[in-house]
């Protein structure tokens, strides 16, 4: 059975370990995660058991920094995917010239979660993490962003959104799915760049999905972004959709109570339109190693069934036919007696059905008169003397 993917995090504060563990839980990967504080410990772990990925902080607060750790690991084990995670005061970009794929991917906080998730997925699948890091954010939101978004009737949803627009007095309201698709929009939505809005808000959707496991499974959120030109409220609609309520820069804060009251009610109405699927978490794509393991198990089971020996065929036992019964011939049989059948007197045949005559026949059956000599010879009368007395 193949072993689970092995991830090594290197960070003396263990912040990187918590981030990686949260992403793995969010994506549904089963991995072995080893957390070490220093670069030397990471090199020992790689030499001891290998690794699928190594995620290290840029600054390790020691003589061996994250960059040196990444280069040493790549020199000894080029197949390991390496990610360096920088802080806000660390370098903003890494522009090293390398042949082919870069030896590592550098990500600086605040982290673009979609980019980080793509990098982690590519590392788990054995794909190029450099290509995943440079992929356009709006072209891929990860497998969990694109999978099984429940459908909602746009006509019925439009009725609810129009009523919200009237109750809230907002400039515009947009209903958006977590895959970036705008389901519908009402009002003057042209004031916002929709592509930039979706890119900025999609990480909040993944956060809602993760937080739903912590708060009870049906998390509802309201985010408020207060700006000089525009104010934006973002309300979650289950786990797969969210509402963007847009005001001008002076009206948003004044309508906080209305959004809390009427906005939440509108979100509940939209959840009712979606049904039970609104809070069903998205299906997670399993890593390639696990898929291979499942496929191997199925093949093994199929092979076991194929080699089962057939049932023992028992020989058919034939039973000899019985010989016909042969009677001994009657000695001195005179066949001429059958010639007299036509002379039989059938006038007394009806006596068989006469009950009185049948009774008489039974009473007289077996009676026979014998002579005194016969009686004496068979011993019926005992032993008589010469004088005739016993």
């Amino acid at each position: 059975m193949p072993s689970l993917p092995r991830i090594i995090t290197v960070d003396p504060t263990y912040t990187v370990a918590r981030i990686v563990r949260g992403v793995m839980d969010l994506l549904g990967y089963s991995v072995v995660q080893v957390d070490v504080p220093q670069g030397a410990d990471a090199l020992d772990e790689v030499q001891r058991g290998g690794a699928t990925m190594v995620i290290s902080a840029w600054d390790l607060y020691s003589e061996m920094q994250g960059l040196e750790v990444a280069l040493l690991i790549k020199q000894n084990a080029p197949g390991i995917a390496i990610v360096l995670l920088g802080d806000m005061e660390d370098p903003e970009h890494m522009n090293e010239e390398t042949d082919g794929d870069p030896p590592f991917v550098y990500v600086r906080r605040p982290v673009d979660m979609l980019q980080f998730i793509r990098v982690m997925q590519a590392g788990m699948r054995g794909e190029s993490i450099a290509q995943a890091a440079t992929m356009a954010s709006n072209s891929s939101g990860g497998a969990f962003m694109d999978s099984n978004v429940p459908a909602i009737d746009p006509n019925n949803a439009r009725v609810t959104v129009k009523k919200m627009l009237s109750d809230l007095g907002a400039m515009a309201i947009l209903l958006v799915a977590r895959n970036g698709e705008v389901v519908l929009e009402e009002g003057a939505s042209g004031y916002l760049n929709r592509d930039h809005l979706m890119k900025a808000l999609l990480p909040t959707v993944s956060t809602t999905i993760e937080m739903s496991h912590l708060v009870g499974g049906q998390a509802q959120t309201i985010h408020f972004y207060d700006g000089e030109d525009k104010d934006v409220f973002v309300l979650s609609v289950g786990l797969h959709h969210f509402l963007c309520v847009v005001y001008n820069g002076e009206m948003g804060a004044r309508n906080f109570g209305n959004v809390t009251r009427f906005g939440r009610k509108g979100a509940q109405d939209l959840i009712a339109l979606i049904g039970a699927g609104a809070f069903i978490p998205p299906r997670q794509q399993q890593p390639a190693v696990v898929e291979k393991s499942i496929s191997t198990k199925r093949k093994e089971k199929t092979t076991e069934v194929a080699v089962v020996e057939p049932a023992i065929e028992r020989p058919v036992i034939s039973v000899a036919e019985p010989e016909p019964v042969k009677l001994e011939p009657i000695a001195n049989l005179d066949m001429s007696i059958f010639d007299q059948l036509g002379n039989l007197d059938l006038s007394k045949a009806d006596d068989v059905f006469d009950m009185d005559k049948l009774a008489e026949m039974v009473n007289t059956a077996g009676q026979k008169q014998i002579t005194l000599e016969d009686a004496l010879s068979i011993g019926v009368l005992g032993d008589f003397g010469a004088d005739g007395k016993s």
Side-chain angles (χ1 to χ4, degrees):
M1 178 178 177
S3 59
L4 293 175
R6 193 166 186 257
I7 297 178
I8 299 175
T9 66
V10 191
D11 184 11
T13 65
Y14 293 97
T15 302
V16 175
R18 291 191 293 270
I19 294 175
V20 172
R21 187 172 290 107
V23 173
M24 291 295 100
D25 291 341
L26 179 63
L27 297 179
Y29 283 105
S30 298
V31 300
V32 176
Q33 181 171 328
V34 180
D35 306 320
V36 296
Q38 300 298 332
D41 301 327
L43 296 176
D44 292 341
E45 287 294 335
V46 170
Q47 186 176 5
R48 181 182 301 113
T52 305
M53 293 189 70
V54 175
I55 299 92
S56 173
W58 174 264
D59 190 356
L60 299 180
Y61 305 100
S62 65
E63 296 181 357
M64 184 182 296
Q65 296 295 342
L67 177 59
E68 184 179 357
V69 173
L71 295 177
L72 289 174
I73 293 177
K74 268 297 181 181
Q75 182 179 359
N76 298 323
I80 298 178
I82 302 176
V83 179
L84 293 182
L85 187 60
D87 212 335
M88 298 182 65
E89 61 272 10
D90 294 331
E92 185 175 355
H93 299 288
M94 294 295 298
N95 297 321
E96 296 185 357
E97 297 182 358
T98 57
D99 295 333
D101 289 341
F104 56 84
V105 168
Y106 178 74
V107 181
R108 182 175 177 269
R109 287 189 284 179
V111 178
D112 182 349
M113 286 305 299
L114 293 182
Q115 180 191 38
F116 192 71
I117 288 172
R118 288 197 303 270
V119 170
M120 296 300 295
Q121 286 181 322
M124 290 294 96
R125 300 171 184 170
E127 301 172 356
S128 173
I129 59 175
Q131 293 181 3
T134 57
M135 190 180 303
S137 297
N138 58 1
S139 65
S140 173
F144 77 100
M145 283 297 182
D146 296 332
S147 62
N148 66 308
V149 177
I152 183 172
D153 186 355
N155 295 326
N156 293 332
R158 191 177 299 277
V159 175
T160 301
V161 173
K162 281 186 176 180
K163 188 176 185 304
M164 289 180 59
L165 186 66
S166 176
D167 294 337
L168 299 176
M171 294 172 55
I173 298 179
L174 293 84
L175 176 62
V176 187
R178 60 177 166 79
N179 59 2
E181 177 186 359
V182 178
V183 179
L184 59 90
E185 51 186 322
E186 291 294 331
S189 60
Y191 286 103
L192 287 176
N193 186 316
R194 295 194 309 176
D195 293 335
H196 291 173
L197 178 65
M198 297 308 102
K199 180 179 178 180
L201 293 180
L202 283 178
T204 65
V205 181
S206 61
T207 303
T208 303
I209 296 173
E210 177 66 17
M211 287 299 297
S212 65
H213 301 290
L214 302 178
V215 300
Q218 295 189 357
Q220 299 184 36
T221 62
I222 298 179
H223 297 271
F224 177 51
Y225 300 91
D226 188 4
E228 295 181 0
D229 297 332
K230 302 176 186 65
D231 295 337
V232 179
F233 288 90
V234 180
L235 297 88
S236 63
V237 182
L239 300 179
H240 308 274
H241 300 81
F242 54 92
L243 285 167
C244 294
V245 182
V246 185
Y247 289 93
N248 60 36
E250 299 177 356
M251 298 297 294
R254 301 177 185 179
N255 287 276
F256 202 98
N258 289 336
V259 173
T260 303
R261 178 182 177 185
F262 297 105
R264 289 174 65 91
K265 183 179 182 301
Q268 291 290 343
D269 293 340
L270 292 174
I271 290 174
L273 290 178
I274 298 173
F279 290 101
I280 296 178
R283 293 187 295 269
Q284 309 301 343
Q285 184 171 358
Q286 299 297 327
V289 174
V290 177
E291 291 177 357
K292 183 177 180 181
S293 174
I294 295 174
S295 176
T296 303
K297 288 182 179 180
R298 290 178 179 173
K299 289 181 180 179
E300 290 177 356
K301 290 182 179 179
T302 304
T303 304
E304 290 177 1
V305 174
V307 298
V308 173
E309 296 182 357
I312 299 175
E313 296 183 0
R314 300 183 181 275
V316 179
I317 301 175
S318 58
V319 180
E321 296 183 359
E323 297 181 358
V325 179
K326 296 181 179 181
L327 300 179
E328 294 294 334
I330 301 175
N332 301 323
L333 176 61
D334 186 6
M335 300 299 294
S336 63
I337 60 175
F338 297 102
D339 298 336
Q340 305 299 322
L341 293 179
N343 300 326
L344 292 177
D345 185 7
L346 300 178
S347 59
K348 296 183 178 181
D350 294 336
D351 294 345
V352 179
F353 303 98
D354 190 340
M355 302 304 296
D356 295 335
K357 292 184 177 181
L358 286 175
E360 182 181 353
M361 292 173 60
V362 171
N363 293 330
T364 59
Q367 294 183 3
K368 184 178 179 181
Q369 294 180 355
I370 60 175
T371 62
L372 179 58
E373 294 179 357
D374 294 334
L376 292 174
S377 63
I378 62 178
V380 174
L381 298 180
D383 187 15
F384 288 89
D387 54 358
K389 298 180 181 181
S390 60

